[in-house]
Amino acid sequence: MSEFFDLARVIDWVPFMVKGLWVTLLIAFLASVLGLFLGVALVVMSRHTITKRLASMYIDIFRGTPILLQLSIVYFALPQVLGVLLSLFGLDVSIHIGGLFAAILTFSLNSGAYISEIIRSGINSVDDGELEAAKALGVSKFYVYKDIILPKAIRVSFPSLMNELITLVKESSIVSVIGIQDLMRRQQIVSSQTFMYFEPLFVVGLVYYIVIKFLSKVGRKLEVKLAHD
Amino acid sequence: MIELKNIYKSYGDLSVLRDVSHTFHEGETVVIIGASGSGKSTFLRCINRLEEVDEGQIVIMGKHVKNYKQRDLALQVGMVFQGFHLFHHMTVLENVMYALVKVRKLGKEESRKRALQGLKSVGLSDKADVYPSKLSGGQKQRVAIARAMAMEPSIMLFDEPTSALDPEMVREVLKEIRKLSKTGLTNIIVTHEMGFAKEVADKVVFMDAGKIVEYGTPKEVFEHPKEVRTKEFLQHIL
């Protein structure tokens, strides 16, 4: 007769499951860093008349469709599309996109769209007076962005950016559908091996919870540090 | 020398400057007075292209303002704002150094030396490493003056430099501007401080409803105004 809740029975599997944390964190951190670069690029693009439409289309599409769909397109459909494209040039190669690569790419592209919105609102918080003062001092647009707009925008958007990182940690759990062995996938493996669900889910859930608690604590500390003025 | 010829400027339907012409001579300190909404701030801001004129010409040192690069214009014309507009995330020293490094390209050490010199001349050497939020309004404005002056412009624009200050801080800021008025710099000052205007101005311009109504020495404008509107304005304010 099985127990209602018996952690002892999965204890041997715990190291295996916790190992998935590194995959989860790798995806979340890389995607947030790359997403930050992409987000900044999108904001810059959206401030120029020629590239403005392109940027807003991009943001619209990535925010307007589920990330599972985006991940599926990158992982399953992109090799097919690329294969067809390459065959047009007479290259007959079969293309395979690695799961981890697809995951990082998708989450970067996706969070870039969200991060650009976060940074945009940060930029709107920059005091017009400071921009005027910079102009009156003859500071070039590049330096205005780099030294006046971005530091302020990042400070103001920091809490939301931290939130985005936390969202990434949580949402990255869907990469299990393409077989990447993150926390979630490893729980599924353990469940299928042991025919137990609650205990592995509990372990994985606890790991997510602790990591996210930790990140939000660090976030709050940094926030205070950033707000020196 | 700054020549403004037939300047027009409007924001949508609101016409702010209507056919304004004026010449500022080198080394002069000119105070612009007038009621709120008379166009005096806009007039000032057109000089360094914070506002673009709709019509008319502005010529500084024989060259059209439109033909200046923003950088070259900034090296000629400095500006101090009503709201100080210091860079919040930079220390006082960094505020003063910043444009020296990035615009005048002086190099860090030289910029630092000049910035410290500038802070000394406004009496704020001890605040170099402090962030602007720790300063009083008067101190902020003195830093703003040091920041603008560090660029060694030949023309300084002051847009109501004391209007956002508590009365006891007005004096310390006016003291700095008074010093500058004796240096051969061309100063154009928009202010409501009539006593100060009388004292430092070589010339006074009175603006009303987007036009220059009266122009002359402080004595002429304050004591013997010719225009009715000038008289009315002075009666209100004095």
Side-chain angles (χ1 to χ4, degrees):
Chain A
M1 199 198 119
S2 65
E3 298 285 331
F4 166 65
F5 183 74
D6 186 4
L7 269 181
R9 290 173 58 195
V10 293
I11 200 82
D12 291 343
W13 290 94
V14 168
F16 172 75
M17 287 190 280
V18 172
K19 246 187 213 163
L21 176 61
W22 303 118
V23 178
T24 295
L25 289 181
L26 180 73
I27 295 169
F29 275 103
L30 272 182
S32 56
V33 171
L34 295 173
L36 187 62
F37 282 112
L38 180 60
V40 171
L42 284 168
V43 169
V44 174
M45 278 170 74
S46 68
R47 299 200 132 205
H48 292 90
T49 34
I50 312 162
T51 49
K52 195 177 171 168
R53 274 196 67 82
L54 199 65
S56 70
M57 256 172 64
Y58 180 95
I59 294 165
D60 193 46
I61 289 170
F62 273 90
R63 295 193 347 147
T65 54
I67 188 146
L68 183 54
L69 175 94
Q70 295 161 14
L71 181 65
S72 303
I73 287 177
V74 170
Y75 186 66
F76 298 115
L78 202 57
Q80 180 193 337
V81 173
L82 285 176
V84 171
L85 281 178
L86 286 176
S87 72
L88 291 178
F89 295 98
L91 290 164
D92 193 18
V93 281
S94 88
I95 290 173
H96 174 72
I97 294 181
L100 194 59
F101 178 77
I104 291 167
L105 181 64
T106 306
F107 277 93
S108 303
L109 293 174
N110 179 276
S111 76
Y114 284 92
I115 288 175
S116 77
E117 293 289 290
I118 293 170
I119 292 181
R120 192 214 305 276
S121 64
I123 286 177
N124 289 338
S125 75
V126 175
D127 177 18
D128 285 342
E130 286 185 41
L131 300 182
E132 265 190 356
K135 192 177 178 194
L137 286 165
V139 180
S140 70
K141 272 198 174 147
F142 173 77
Y143 283 121
V144 169
Y145 266 122
K146 179 176 155 290
D147 295 335
I148 293 157
I149 296 180
L150 271 185
K152 173 79 191 283
I154 286 179
R155 184 159 49 84
V156 170
S157 16
F158 186 79
S160 308
L161 288 174
M162 206 58 204
N163 214 24
E164 175 66 15
L165 175 63
I166 287 168
T167 304
L168 279 169
V169 170
K170 290 189 283 188
E171 278 190 349
S172 70
S173 58
I174 64 149
V175 301
S176 57
V177 302
I178 60 170
I180 295 170
Q181 295 200 1
D182 71 326
L183 275 171
M184 207 62 207
R185 178 70 189 152
R186 283 166 189 254
Q187 168 271 319
Q188 290 161 5
I189 292 170
V190 172
S191 290
S192 68
Q193 296 279 324
T194 60
F195 304 106
M196 292 193 303
Y197 286 91
F198 192 28
E199 293 84 348
L201 280 168
F202 177 81
V203 170
V204 164
L206 192 65
V207 175
Y208 273 118
Y209 183 78
I210 290 169
V211 167
I212 284 159
K213 246 316 173 277
F214 174 76
L215 284 177
S216 59
K217 275 257 160 66
V218 171
R220 217 159 303 146
K221 279 246 167 72
L222 285 172
E223 218 175 290
V224 172
K225 214 169 185 186
L226 277 170
H228 56 63
D229 66 335
Chain B
M1 196 160 89
I2 310 168
E3 292 172 87
L4 296 99
K5 295 176 200 160
N6 312 104
I7 302 298
Y8 287 84
K9 171 77 188 173
S10 51
Y11 300 109
D13 291 339
L14 181 71
S15 126
V16 184
L17 297 176
R18 293 182 291 174
D19 195 15
V20 176
S21 298
H22 190 74
T23 302
F24 296 96
H25 299 283
E26 223 171 297
E28 255 183 358
T29 292
V30 180
V31 169
I32 304 175
I33 57 171
S36 301
S38 58
K40 50 198 195 317
S41 279
T42 306
F43 178 66
L44 198 68
R45 293 160 58 85
C46 285
I47 295 174
N48 67 344
R49 288 185 72 184
L50 289 183
E51 305 285 348
E52 298 290 345
V53 300
D54 296 335
E55 265 178 69
Q57 297 173 342
I58 300 176
V59 180
I60 297 180
M61 316 270 176
K63 189 169 159 186
H64 281 275
V65 163
K66 285 194 170 143
N67 297 333
Y68 275 94
K69 289 187 187 135
Q70 191 69 34
R71 175 183 186 270
D72 296 331
L73 190 59
L75 294 177
Q76 290 291 342
V77 186
M79 186 159 189
V80 169
F81 301 87
Q82 178 178 355
F84 330 126
H85 301 338
L86 297 179
F87 305 129
H88 274 85
H89 59 295
M90 299 183 195
T91 63
V92 164
L93 179 65
E94 286 164 352
N95 260 280
V96 183
M97 274 176 72
Y98 182 68
L100 293 178
V101 177
K102 302 294 183 187
V103 181
R104 285 204 66 179
K105 318 253 184 215
L106 283 181
K108 275 226 163 118
E109 267 323 296
E110 178 65 17
S111 300
R112 186 187 182 80
K113 221 172 74 190
R114 292 198 190 192
L116 285 169
Q117 195 80 42
L119 286 176
K120 195 175 163 195
S121 77
V122 296
L124 289 171
S125 298
D126 56 326
K127 301 287 183 195
D129 297 320
V130 159
Y131 283 93
S133 57
K134 298 274 184 282
L135 300 179
S136 71
Q139 290 170 330
K140 283 183 194 171
Q141 196 60 298
R142 280 148 66 196
V143 173
I145 291 171
R147 177 174 71 174
M149 284 304 298
M151 299 289 277
E152 299 180 333
S154 54
I155 299 156
M156 277 289 284
L157 310 176
F158 293 89
D159 189 7
E160 303 199 25
T162 58
S163 298
L165 298 176
D166 293 336
E168 67 265 34
M169 290 166 186
V170 169
R171 209 163 358 120
E172 64 184 72
V173 170
L174 293 183
K175 190 180 120 201
E176 296 306 325
I177 302 174
R178 191 178 294 123
K179 277 199 266 176
L180 298 181
S181 70
K182 291 169 185 149
T183 56
L185 199 69
T186 307
N187 294 293
I188 307 174
I189 306 166
V190 169
T191 186
H192 293 291
E193 297 288 331
M194 293 304 148
F196 177 70
K198 265 186 212 169
E199 176 205 341
V200 302
D202 297 311
K203 293 284 164 55
V204 174
V205 168
F206 171 66
M207 284 186 76
D208 186 60
K211 283 174 178 281
I212 292 181
V213 174
E214 190 141 357
Y215 170 66
T217 62
K219 203 178 164 103
E220 287 165 350
V221 175
F222 287 115
E223 287 167 33
H224 311 288
K226 292 186 217 91
E227 301 293 325
V228 182
R229 275 178 293 173
T230 319
K231 284 177 198 165
E232 281 171 359
F233 173 75
L234 291 172
Q235 264 166 14
H236 264 287
I237 212 152
L238 294 178

